Coordinates of all heavy atoms in Angstrom, one line a residue:
K9 N 3.4 -5.7 -0.2 CA 2.9 -6.9 0.5 C 4.0 -8.0 0.4 O 5.0 -7.9 -0.4 CB 1.6 -7.4 -0.1 CG 0.4 -6.5 0.1 CD -0.9 -7.1 -0.4 CE -2.0 -6.2 -0.1 NZ -3.3 -6.8 -0.6
Y49 N -7.0 -4.3 8.6 CA -8.1 -4.8 7.7 C -9.4 -5.0 8.4 O -10.2 -5.8 8.0 CB -7.6 -6.2 7.1 CG -6.7 -6.0 5.9 CD1 -5.4 -6.7 6.0 CD2 -7.0 -5.3 4.8 CE1 -4.5 -6.6 4.9 CE2 -6.1 -5.2 3.7 CZ -4.9 -5.8 3.8 OH -4.0 -5.7 2.7
V51 N -12.1 -3.5 8.4 CA -13.4 -3.3 7.6 C -13.8 -4.7 7.0 O -14.9 -4.9 6.7 CB -13.2 -2.2 6.5 CG1 -12.1 -2.6 5.5 CG2 -14.5 -1.9 5.9
H52 N -12.8 -5.6 6.9 CA -13.1 -6.9 6.2 C -13.4 -8.0 7.2 O -13.5 -9.1 6.8 CB -11.9 -7.3 5.3 CG -11.7 -6.3 4.2 ND1 -12.6 -6.0 3.3 CD2 -10.6 -5.6 3.9 CE1 -12.2 -5.1 2.4 NE2 -10.9 -4.8 2.7
K55 N -15.5 -11.4 6.7 CA -15.6 -11.9 5.3 C -14.9 -13.2 5.2 O -14.0 -13.6 5.9 CB -15.0 -10.8 4.4 CG -15.8 -9.5 4.4 CD -15.4 -8.6 3.3 CE -16.2 -7.3 3.4 NZ -15.5 -6.2 2.7
A56 N -15.3 -13.9 4.1 CA -14.8 -15.3 3.9 C -13.3 -15.3 3.8 O -12.6 -16.3 4.2 CB -15.5 -15.9 2.7
F57 N -12.7 -14.3 3.2 CA -11.3 -14.3 2.9 C -10.5 -13.6 4.1 O -9.3 -13.6 4.0 CB -11.0 -13.5 1.6 CG -11.4 -12.1 1.6 CD1 -10.6 -11.1 2.1 CD2 -12.6 -11.7 1.0 CE1 -11.0 -9.8 2.0 CE2 -13.0 -10.4 0.9 CZ -12.2 -9.4 1.5
F58 N -11.1 -13.2 5.2 CA -10.4 -12.4 6.2 C -9.3 -13.2 6.8 O -8.2 -12.7 7.0 CB -11.4 -12.0 7.3 CG -10.8 -11.1 8.4 CD1 -10.4 -9.8 8.1 CD2 -10.6 -11.6 9.6 CE1 -9.8 -9.0 9.0 CE2 -10.0 -10.8 10.6 CZ -9.6 -9.5 10.3
D60 N -7.5 -15.8 5.7 CA -6.5 -15.9 4.7 C -5.7 -14.6 4.5 O -4.5 -14.6 4.4 CB -7.0 -16.4 3.4 CG -7.5 -17.9 3.4 OD1 -7.1 -18.6 4.4 OD2 -8.2 -18.3 2.5
L61 N -6.4 -13.5 4.5 CA -5.8 -12.2 4.3 C -4.8 -11.9 5.5 O -3.7 -11.5 5.2 CB -6.9 -11.2 4.2 CG -6.5 -9.7 4.0 CD1 -5.6 -9.5 2.8 CD2 -7.8 -8.8 3.9
F64 N -1.8 -14.1 5.2 CA -0.9 -13.7 4.1 C -0.1 -12.5 4.5 O 1.1 -12.4 4.3 CB -1.7 -13.5 2.9 CG -1.0 -12.7 1.8 CD1 0.2 -13.2 1.2 CD2 -1.4 -11.5 1.4 CE1 0.9 -12.5 0.3 CE2 -0.7 -10.8 0.4 CZ 0.4 -11.3 -0.1
R85 N -4.3 4.4 -6.3 CA -5.3 3.3 -6.7 C -5.2 3.1 -8.2 O -5.3 1.9 -8.7 CB -6.7 3.7 -6.3 CG -6.9 3.9 -4.8 CD -7.0 2.7 -4.0 NE -8.0 1.7 -4.4 CZ -8.2 0.6 -3.7 NH1 -7.6 0.3 -2.5 NH2 -9.1 -0.3 -4.1
M88 N -1.9 1.2 -9.0 CA -2.0 -0.2 -8.5 C -2.8 -1.1 -9.4 O -2.5 -2.2 -9.6 CB -2.7 -0.2 -7.1 CG -1.9 0.3 -5.9 SD -2.8 0.5 -4.4 CE -4.0 -0.7 -4.4
G89 N -4.0 -0.5 -9.9 CA -4.9 -1.3 -10.6 C -6.0 -2.0 -9.8 O -5.9 -1.9 -8.5
A90 N -6.9 -2.7 -10.4 CA -8.0 -3.4 -9.7 C -7.5 -4.4 -8.7 O -6.5 -5.0 -8.9 CB -8.9 -4.0 -10.8
T91 N -8.4 -4.6 -7.7 CA -8.0 -5.6 -6.6 C -7.7 -6.9 -7.1 O -6.7 -7.5 -6.6 CB -9.3 -5.7 -5.7 OG1 -9.6 -4.4 -5.2 CG2 -8.9 -6.6 -4.5
D92 N -8.4 -7.4 -8.1 CA -8.1 -8.8 -8.7 C -7.1 -8.6 -9.8 O -7.5 -8.1 -10.9 CB -9.4 -9.4 -9.2 CG -9.2 -10.8 -9.7 OD1 -8.0 -11.2 -9.8 OD2 -10.2 -11.5 -10.0
R102 N -0.7 -4.3 -10.4 CA -1.4 -5.6 -10.3 C -1.6 -6.3 -11.7 O -1.4 -7.5 -11.8 CB -2.7 -5.4 -9.5 CG -2.5 -5.1 -8.0 CD -3.7 -4.6 -7.4 NE -3.7 -4.7 -5.9 CZ -4.6 -4.1 -5.2 NH1 -5.7 -3.5 -5.7 NH2 -4.5 -4.2 -3.9
D108 N -3.4 -13.5 -9.0 CA -4.2 -14.1 -7.9 C -4.7 -13.0 -7.0 O -3.8 -12.3 -6.4 CB -3.3 -15.2 -7.2 CG -4.0 -15.8 -6.0 OD1 -5.2 -15.5 -5.7 OD2 -3.3 -16.5 -5.2
I109 N -6.0 -13.0 -6.7 CA -6.5 -11.9 -5.8 C -5.9 -12.0 -4.4 O -5.8 -10.9 -3.7 CB -8.0 -11.9 -5.8 CG1 -8.6 -10.6 -5.2 CG2 -8.6 -13.2 -5.1 CD1 -10.1 -10.5 -5.4
G110 N -5.5 -13.1 -4.0 CA -4.9 -13.3 -2.6 C -3.5 -12.9 -2.6 O -2.9 -12.8 -1.5
H111 N -2.9 -12.6 -3.7 CA -1.5 -12.2 -3.8 C -1.3 -11.1 -4.8 O -0.8 -11.2 -5.9 CB -0.6 -13.4 -4.3 CG -0.7 -14.6 -3.4 ND1 -1.7 -15.6 -3.5 CD2 0.1 -15.0 -2.3 CE1 -1.5 -16.5 -2.5 NE2 -0.5 -16.1 -1.8
N112 N -1.9 -9.9 -4.3 CA -2.0 -8.8 -5.3 C -1.0 -7.7 -5.0 O -1.2 -6.6 -5.4 CB -3.4 -8.3 -5.4 CG -3.9 -7.8 -4.0 OD1 -3.2 -7.8 -3.0 ND2 -5.2 -7.3 -4.0
L113 N 0.1 -8.0 -4.3 CA 1.3 -7.3 -4.4 C 1.4 -6.0 -3.6 O 2.4 -5.6 -3.0 CB 1.7 -6.9 -5.8 CG 1.9 -8.1 -6.8 CD1 1.6 -7.7 -8.2 CD2 3.3 -8.7 -6.6
V114 N 0.3 -5.3 -3.5 CA 0.4 -3.9 -3.0 C -1.0 -3.5 -2.4 O -2.0 -3.9 -2.8 CB 0.8 -2.9 -4.1 CG1 -0.2 -2.9 -5.3 CG2 1.2 -1.6 -3.6
H115 N -0.9 -2.7 -1.3 CA -2.0 -2.1 -0.7 C -2.0 -0.6 -0.9 O -0.9 0.0 -0.7 CB -2.1 -2.4 0.8 CG -3.1 -1.5 1.6 ND1 -4.4 -1.8 1.7 CD2 -2.9 -0.3 2.2 CE1 -5.0 -0.9 2.3 NE2 -4.2 0.0 2.7
G116 N -3.1 0.1 -1.1 CA -3.2 1.5 -1.1 C -4.5 1.9 -0.4 O -5.5 1.3 -0.7
S117 N -4.4 2.9 0.4 CA -5.6 3.4 1.1 C -6.7 3.7 0.1 O -6.4 4.2 -1.0 CB -5.3 4.6 1.9 OG -4.2 4.4 2.8
D118 N -8.0 3.5 0.5 CA -9.1 3.8 -0.5 C -9.9 5.0 -0.3 O -10.8 5.4 -1.1 CB -10.0 2.6 -0.5 CG -10.8 2.4 0.8 OD1 -10.6 3.2 1.7 OD2 -11.6 1.4 0.9
Ligands
IDP201 P1 -8.0 -3.4 -2.2 O1 -6.7 -4.0 -1.7 O2 -8.0 -3.2 -3.7 O3 -8.4 -2.1 -1.5 P2 -10.1 -4.7 -0.7 O4 -11.5 -5.0 -1.2 O5 -9.9 -3.6 0.4 O6 -9.1 -4.5 -1.9 O7 -9.5 -6.1 -0.1 C1 -8.4 -6.1 0.7 C2 -7.5 -7.2 0.3 O8 -8.2 -8.5 0.6 C3 -7.2 -7.3 -1.2 O9 -6.2 -6.5 -1.6 C4 -6.9 -8.8 -1.4 O10 -5.6 -9.1 -1.0 C5 -7.9 -9.4 -0.4 N1 -9.1 -9.8 -1.0 C6 -10.2 -9.0 -1.4 N2 -11.2 -9.8 -1.9 C7 -10.8 -11.0 -1.9 C8 -11.4 -12.3 -2.3 O11 -12.5 -12.3 -2.8 N3 -10.6 -13.4 -2.1 C9 -9.4 -13.4 -1.6 N4 -8.8 -12.2 -1.1 C10 -9.5 -11.1 -1.3

Side-chain angles (χ1 to χ4, degrees):
K9 294 184 177 183
Y49 282 125
V51 66
H52 299 300
K55 292 187 184 165
F57 60 84
F58 183 72
D60 286 346
L61 177 58
F64 166 62
R85 300 285 302 186
M88 283 169 37
T91 302
D92 184 351
R102 288 166 166 172
D108 174 9
I109 194 167
H111 300 85
N112 62 1
L113 303 154
V114 64
H115 167 85
S117 309
D118 66 2

